[in-house]
Amino acid sequence: MADEAEKEKHEDPEGTLNRRQFFVRVGLGSLAVAGAGTAVFAYQFLSPNVLYEPSPTVNAGKPESYPPDSVTLDPATGIFVVRETQGFYALSAVCTHLGCLTAWKPELGTIACPCHGSKFKPDGTKIAGPAPRPLPWLRMWLSDDGDLMVDRSSPIAARQFVRI
Ligand code: FES
């Protein structure tokens, strides 16, 4: 081996690559690239394919922060908290047509969708427009700390009020 290296050095005193050395290095480089690619794909394949979403449970705050006979939109969570004489309830603010965020129009006393004109009563009943269903009521309860809690993933039958 030492003789071979000495021979190569003797034949090529400037240290340039001969043909064999060049192809050996190209081959090793190709193997390294293929190995790195395989490692990346193996890591992606073995990683859990999980979509991290925010919790469906929302703390809507203290009941006394809602004025009597009010409809309050929380755009961040997409829910309406409605307070009327019979109690509190929560509605999804996501239009049942194509999913636009609806808005409360106090001057008209309706919930309106800006996208295609659907209109709803404050209890979610559809008045007009292409929406196929009313806005769903969402499960609401009072926490141990006295906060209104809403589960956005749990639609319930209408007219189930939280009475304080
Ligand atoms: S998305 Fe609301 S009416 Fe179309």
Side-chain angles (χ1 to χ4, degrees):
M1 283 298 252
D3 288 345
E4 227 173 83
E6 189 65 35
K7 188 178 166 190
E8 280 180 8
K9 203 172 184 183
H10 184 69
E11 289 173 357
D12 189 9
E14 294 176 5
T16 57
L17 293 178
N18 64 26
R19 189 182 176 111
R20 171 188 257 181
Q21 290 169 325
F22 172 76
F23 283 113
V24 165
R25 289 189 183 184
V26 168
L28 289 175
S30 300
L31 284 176
V33 169
T38 303
V40 167
F41 282 111
Y43 175 77
Q44 288 177 342
F45 178 75
L46 294 174
S47 300
N49 198 7
V50 177
L51 179 63
Y52 296 99
E53 291 185 347
S55 167
T57 303
V58 172
N59 184 330
K62 300 290 182 203
E64 52 272 17
S65 64
Y66 296 94
D69 296 320
S70 65
V71 178
T72 306
L73 171 65
D74 180 0
T77 58
I79 59 170
F80 286 109
V81 174
V82 183
R83 180 178 183 181
E84 62 175 52
T85 49
Q86 297 179 70
F88 290 84
Y89 58 92
L91 282 181
S92 170
V94 178
C95 182
T96 55
H97 181 221
L98 293 178
C100 290
L101 187 68
T102 56
W104 171 239
K105 301 291 178 190
E107 66 279 5
L108 303 173
T110 59
I111 295 170
C113 179
C115 292
H116 310 102
S118 287
K119 290 184 174 52
F120 305 88
K121 291 181 184 174
D123 68 356
T125 308
K126 187 186 115 177
I127 303 169
R133 294 179 305 281
L135 296 176
W137 285 47
L138 302 174
R139 191 169 81 87
M140 178 184 251
W141 69 98
L142 208 57
S143 74
D144 293 340
D145 297 333
D147 291 339
L148 289 168
M149 306 296 291
V150 179
D151 184 353
R152 292 179 289 171
S153 66
S154 299
I156 59 171
R159 310 208 62 76
Q160 297 182 48
F161 298 93
V162 174
R163 297 174 209 284
I164 308 288

